[in-house]
Amino acid sequence: MAIIFRAKSCFASRLRNLTTLQRFNHSLIEQTPLYPRMISSDSKDQQSTVIDISKWKKINASAVGIKRSMIPPSPWLVLKILHNKGFEAYLVGGCVRDLLLNRIPKDFDVITTAKLKQVKKQFHRCEIVGRRFPICRVHVKGSVVEVSSFETVAQHNEGKEEVLISQKPSGCNGRDFIRWRNSMHRDFTINSLFFDPFMNQIFDYANGMADLSFLKLRTVIPARLSFQEDCARILRGLRITGRLGLSISKDTESAIRKLSSSVKSLDKARIMMELNYMLSYGAAESTIYLLQRFNLLELFLPFHAAYLSQQAGETFSLGSVMLMKLFFNLDTLVSCDRPCTSSLWVGLLAFHQALVTNPQDALVSWVFASVLYHGKWKDGVEFARENAKMQVKFAPEISGFSEFKSDEELAEEVSHLASLVQDSVDALMDTDTLAQSMSRFGVTSSSGLVFVSKKIANDVAQLFNVLVDDVESYKTERESFMIDYYLLGKGNQHETRFVLGKVILETLSGGLTKGVEVAEDGPKVIEEKHDSKLSDLVKDYMVEWEEEIPVLSPLDHEHSQKKTGNKRKLVMTKSFYEEKVATKEDVLKNKSEAVAKKPQKILKITQLPELEKKKHHLSENSGTSNLSIEGKVNHEEKKDCRLLLQEVVKDKTENLKQMIKEKTDRPSLYNLFRR
């Protein structure tokens, strides 16, 4: 299955408008000539190394599209308080990188000239954490902002300070020298940028802007030295590459291959944290490809690595196998600003391992997922019986399809499957169980790490208890079928079960959703498959249409609610994101006015066929959800409504072609990450 990554062309075009861009291009492969940590303070034969300050760049932030309004209230308050107290304060690292790429950052890190104790005095709720590299965690406006100090790096390299200062070039601004010295201790060039919102400037000392404009991952210092200093940078680099669709420099790629085994030395809690960042924030599928490419997946998830290796020899593309489809569908639901907890992706791994070890009937798998999704045994079975005929064939996970099974038989087999999933969780936390599971692939032992804690394993096992113990009486109430991302992020079991069921249902059904494709002959209604992605702007149009036109698919109904809910959330921030949404809504308004001037065939909701009346009547009288009622509508009615929907959208989108140009597709991740 191919995944399309589209580069942020708006960022590239902004860079081309800068006069400094010409200087970026010719220095892409050059590194800053001096790396402080390579200098020994007791070296008697120390030679003077000249720092080429001509490569240091100061960029007007507005020229590359960054505004102060992009900074959320919490980090902005921290920056402002420190600034008002006379300290310098900057945004640094990944948040600057993501803002330049027009992405929502996972978090906003602040660095300041104040000492950590001085930072702590400025805020009522602040604590200093960390031993090797201590930072301040500032609690403000319901969130946590991490604040580091320039002094921390100086203290960490106290023995080299005299050498560094003696090499400070003449005419070099003292503030520039402090920022440069700090940037040299960062992992990747694209993470070494500083943003001063008060001067509205971006400071680049390591060609980070150049690498970012070409979506290149490169270490600040020689990659071998960087990874030897901190092997966790290997995992961090793969995570960033998977999320942003970067290419990896030859030096960095070679070092990852040579030093990948060094991650074994990491603490298990650190490995779990890094993997959670990889799999919970919307880039799980691409990251798994990368882990497999660099032989790291067999270290962390040996069972699934062996499974993918086996599938690679039997299928045209790994993207067509069930494991990758499960994580693709997870990626469509979570993101950096709406992550899930580790329980969800561990649960998916356990579910998949149970199917590989003990293949199941398609109907049983459908009922299993549908009950988790609906929260009720009766509704889950009814929905599965109506829709399981559309199942996608997976091998070896699905053994076949038995249309005629009684509810009693289904209850027994679903409970058995839930027990198998719970047993599979043990293989992620127990070395002996892991070794036994590997025997399926002819491997008698495993060198894989076991990093899932007992607590997390217990939480995941509890997710499936409701299907093991008297599944037919299982019933939980939901106010709506829209994902509550706050509860999901907190690890709420009801919300995690719901999303787990949704991901599995999307995978079993083939993930067909109603969408819009911008083709050469104009917009048209399509069945959007998961081997293509729509542009963000087109998706925004989809949200507007879904508010006016009833959808057909139960899972699509939830998807439209989720998108609409997220839209409201962005508006409520009253910052850059509000500005972004408002601009798109202006476009929508202009589109609607243009369409309104011509004769329309668009029907109001009250004019839709009997299909909608039936659903409304059933919903009022029986109290069941639209998702369950959807399955009761016969195939012919769905077909008629689909044709009507195509007519409606065709008329409504005649002018869309002039406003949207399809972006150039980037290579699929499968081809990009091939050996």
Side-chain angles (χ1 to χ4, degrees), residues 70-81 91 107-110 140-141 143-145:
M70 292 179 171
I71 306 174
S74 299
W76 172 245
L77 181 60
V78 173
L79 288 164
K80 192 173 182 180
I81 289 176
L91 289 179
D107 47 36
F108 287 78
D109 293 333
V110 174
V140 57
K141 290 186 175 294
S143 61
V144 178
V145 179

Side-chain angles (χ1 to χ4, degrees), residues 384-404:
R385 289 191 185 280
E386 289 289 336
N387 295 278
K389 298 176 183 178
M390 302 165 54
Q391 87 279 2
V392 175
K393 296 180 180 179
F394 292 110
E397 296 90 347
I398 302 301
S399 60
F401 177 65
S402 301
E403 187 172 359
F404 303 103

Side-chain angles (χ1 to χ4, degrees), residues 253-315:
E253 180 172 348
S254 176
I256 291 176
R257 292 191 181 280
K258 292 178 180 178
L259 300 174
S260 60
S261 61
S262 64
V263 299
K264 291 181 179 180
S265 63
L266 291 173
D267 182 77
K268 290 183 179 180
R270 179 65 184 275
I271 293 175
M272 186 65 189
M273 182 188 74
E274 292 292 343
L275 284 181
N276 190 53
Y277 282 148
M278 289 179 175
L279 304 180
S280 293
Y281 288 77
E285 184 197 23
S286 55
T287 304
I288 289 175
Y289 276 126
L290 283 167
L291 291 173
Q292 181 79 342
R293 171 188 169 184
F294 289 100
N295 300 318
L296 282 168
L297 193 65
E298 64 185 32
L299 188 63
F300 300 127
L301 300 170
F303 181 92
H304 298 87
Y307 160 83
L308 288 179
S309 297
Q310 184 183 72
Q311 292 294 306
E314 299 175 0
T315 62

